[in-house]
Amino acid sequence: MSADDNDHDDPEDTGDVRERIEQEADRAVEQFDEGIVDLLAWVLDTETRARIYVHLRQHPESTSEEIAEGTGLYPSTVREALAALTEEEVVTRQKRESDGAGNNPYEYSAIPPSDLVNTIVGDIQSELNTVFNLDDHIGGGETTLEPDDEPVTISVEDADDGTNDADASEDTGDEGNGSEGGDDDADV
């Protein structure tokens, strides 16, 4: 055996390799989580609300104190964000059941991501249609569409649905791309 062969069999080197792999895996997960938080911050308006949403998806039925501890956010910040998210129906709350006497805190859970997407699709579609029809709105060009026509249609399919586009168009009676309208439709 050569000296090089012995270097690769050294248990200390194996431990170093494992440690480096674990560190890289942790870093990849952290970067992935940050990417998700960044995307959700766009959807939910702030990074604070996004961190709370992610925490609640990982730990449903958490109290505001548990959320603050798990996210590292100030308790008052968490309570304020939870109030807004609850009002917007992104988060649900209920009293925690307990056998003992005393104050039962609220526990919070986040709606599924598919429901979150469905709550924002209409707003995004409306904003895209406003941009698409900008000339009509500012009077800078010919009116090309009827008032009720929307050139951008966003349709969302639940990944767990198990149906494909052909099945969906058969079930709804739609043909083609599964959305109403002419050639200007954008099916996202």
Side-chain angles (χ1 to χ4, degrees):
M1 258 195 218
S2 71
D4 288 339
D5 291 338
N6 289 336
D7 287 345
H8 295 295
D9 293 335
D10 186 5
E12 191 172 305
D13 285 345
T14 305
D16 289 346
V17 170
R18 279 194 183 131
E19 187 175 320
R20 283 195 311 244
I21 290 172
E22 288 173 4
Q23 288 172 347
E24 288 300 312
D26 290 345
R27 191 171 63 97
V29 167
E30 187 175 303
Q31 288 175 343
F32 174 77
D33 288 349
E34 288 303 315
I36 294 294
V37 168
D38 288 346
L39 179 61
L40 283 168
W42 176 75
V43 171
L44 295 170
D45 296 327
T46 68
E47 183 178 326
T48 296
R49 293 165 58 136
R51 289 190 182 286
I52 290 169
Y53 180 84
V54 169
H55 180 83
L56 287 173
R57 291 302 302 161
Q58 293 171 328
H59 309 282
E61 300 176 355
S62 294
T63 65
S64 61
E65 290 79 21
E66 292 166 345
I67 296 166
E69 185 178 312
T71 60
L73 298 168
Y74 288 110
S76 59
T77 302
V78 169
R79 286 190 298 273
E80 184 179 309
L82 283 171
L85 289 168
T86 301
E87 185 176 313
E88 295 168 12
E89 298 180 350
V90 172
V91 167
T92 60
R93 77 175 189 177
Q94 63 185 19
K95 282 285 194 177
R96 179 171 277 179
E97 297 292 324
S98 87
D99 295 331
N103 189 11
N104 295 349
Y106 282 109
E107 55 187 18
Y108 297 86
S109 295
I111 63 174
S114 59
D115 291 349
L116 179 63
V117 167
N118 284 325
T119 63
I120 64 167
V121 163
D123 293 337
I124 293 171
Q125 179 175 307
S126 176
E127 289 179 27
L128 289 173
N129 280 311
T130 299
V131 171
F132 193 93
N133 296 314
L134 182 62
D135 287 343
D136 294 341
H137 290 289
I138 61 174
E142 284 183 27
T143 301
T144 57
L145 298 170
E146 296 299 317
D148 292 334
D149 277 347
E150 291 189 334
V152 178
T153 303
I154 301 172
S155 41
V156 179
E157 265 185 49
D158 190 354
D160 296 335
D161 192 13
T163 61
N164 61 29
D165 287 338
D167 293 339
S169 65
E170 288 175 17
D171 292 343
T172 61
D174 292 340
E175 294 182 19
N177 67 1
S179 61
E180 296 178 7
D183 293 334
D184 290 335
D185 285 351
D187 194 19
V188 179

